[in-house]
């Protein structure tokens, strides 16, 4: 069964440890460590999660000159994460350098982490993109263009809205990973996410990975919420 990725949006390791107490010790999870947790705890938190048998998506969205990103990726690869990312806006040269750094930093015998790109942030509206970034095409066109650049740089996929999966796969190829946040089971609060999809809709549309945060982390019974989402994501329930 494929696992939804749980966004560990917590400020400290102690809060992560408390949250994980809701899960059976033998349950291997796929978790996302973002900026907040990584900037407060550093590599220690990734090592802790790996030691507990979990897989890690390190969501740091690197964006700097190619040489700096390449060196940073070398360090991150040594942590044994499964998936990490950069901003496509950094350009093809930067993304190629990121991939090179990841490959160089991966210890002998381990798999190179998959590398995906953020296209336009899902918090960016078309008007904001046009005014702030002076990009005059539509948001959809910009997203597709960045996805094609990521594919050209040899990346494995992109982070995108579930609503963008079809256009991205058509512009690249069916195997190009589309990882989609903004997922809500029907009963859950939408929070600040604007364009949401259910796990079942995301599966039907071709998302390869879903990221789910608050519907699990803020649930009264996180393990039950996780299992329900996991089952729905794997097509084990009908959502109509
Ligand atoms: O709590 P929720 O399910 O909304 O969490 C979604 C997670 O995915 C958060 O960690 C958020 O930062 C991340 N994310 C997102 N939209 C993106 C990229 C990442 O919601 N475009």
């Amino acid at each position: 069964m494929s696992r939804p990725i749980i966004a560990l949006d917590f400020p400290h390791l102690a809060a992560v440890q408390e949250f994980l107490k809701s899960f059976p010790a033998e349950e291997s999870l796929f978790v996302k460590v973002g900026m907040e947790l990584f900037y407060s705890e550093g590599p220690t938190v990734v090592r802790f999660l790996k030691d507990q048998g979990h897989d890690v998506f390190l969501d740091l969205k690197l964006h700097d000159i190619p040489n700096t990103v390449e060196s940073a990726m070398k360090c991150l690869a040594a942590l044994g994460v499964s998936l990490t990312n950069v901003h496509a806006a950094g350009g093809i040269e930067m993304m190629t350098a990121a991939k090179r750094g990841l490959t160089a930093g991966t210890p002998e015998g381990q798999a190179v982490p998959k590398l995906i790109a953020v296209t336009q942030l899902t918090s960016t509206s078309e008007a904001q993109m046009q005014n702030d970034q002076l990009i005059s095409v539509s948001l959809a066109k910009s997203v597709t263009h960045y996805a094609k650049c990521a594919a050209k740089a040899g990346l494995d996929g992109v982070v995108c809205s579930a609503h963008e999966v079809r256009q991205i796969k058509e512009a690249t190829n069916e195997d190009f990973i589309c990882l989609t946040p903004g997922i809500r089971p029907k009963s859950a609060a939408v929070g600040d996410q604007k364009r949401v999809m259910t796990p079942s809709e995301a599966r039907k549309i071709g998302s390869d990975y879903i990221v789910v945060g608050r519907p699990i982390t803020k649930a009264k019974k996180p393990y039950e919420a996780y299992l329900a989402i996991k089952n729905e994501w794997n097509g084990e329930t009908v959502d109509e």
Side-chain angles (χ1 to χ4, degrees), residues 199-212:
S200 159
E201 286 166 341
R203 178 180 56 84
K204 282 183 204 137
I205 218 159
S207 292
D208 299 281
Y209 297 93
I210 53 170
V211 174
V212 187

Side-chain angles (χ1 to χ4, degrees), residues 155-169:
L155 267 60
D156 301 289
V158 288
V159 183
C160 64
S161 151
H163 297 270
E164 295 161 351
V165 170
R166 285 319 329 152
Q167 69 185 63
I168 289 171
K169 297 244 183 200

Side-chain angles (χ1 to χ4, degrees), residues 41-213:
E41 298 286 356
T44 307
V45 68
V46 177
R47 292 196 191 101
F48 165 79
L49 291 164
K50 294 285 305 167
D51 285 348
Q52 301 289 308
H54 306 310
D55 294 299
V56 177
F57 165 27
L58 193 52
D59 178 25
L60 299 181
K61 303 185 177 74
L62 273 64
H63 186 175
D64 207 324
I65 60 170
N67 184 61
T68 300
V69 170
E70 182 170 352
S71 314
M73 281 297 180
K74 254 189 218 168
C75 304
L76 298 185
L79 297 176
V81 299
S82 304
L83 194 61
T84 190
N85 58 5
V86 292
H87 265 287
I92 293 177
E93 196 186 327
M94 186 206 78
M95 289 191 272
T96 309
K99 181 93 187 173
R100 206 167 43 235
L102 268 187
T103 308
T106 302
E108 269 296 301
Q110 282 186 26
V112 178
K114 292 217 179 345
L115 181 61
I116 58 180
V118 176
T119 56
Q120 289 288 349
L121 292 168
T122 47
S123 54
T124 304
S125 69
E126 188 162 278
Q128 283 171 333
M129 178 195 78
Q130 292 174 345
N131 294 332
D132 300 353
Q133 302 174 39
L134 266 192
I135 292 176
S136 53
V137 298
S138 68
L139 186 70
K141 196 156 183 192
S142 173
V143 166
T144 308
H145 172 68
Y146 276 145
K148 282 189 192 162
C149 291
K152 217 181 260 180
L155 267 60
D156 301 289
V158 288
V159 183
C160 64
S161 151
H163 297 270
E164 295 161 351
V165 170
R166 285 319 329 152
Q167 69 185 63
I168 289 171
K169 297 244 183 200
E170 272 153 33
T172 55
N173 61 76
E174 280 300 317
D175 295 334
F176 197 62
I177 293 172
C178 288
L179 175 147
T180 61
I183 301 295
R184 291 290 177 272
K186 272 211 171 120
S187 53
V190 168
D192 56 358
Q193 293 283 12
K194 295 193 177 83
R195 297 168 72 214
V196 298
M197 258 197 207
T198 65
S200 159
E201 286 166 341
R203 178 180 56 84
K204 282 183 204 137
I205 218 159
S207 292
D208 299 281
Y209 297 93
I210 53 170
V211 174
V212 187

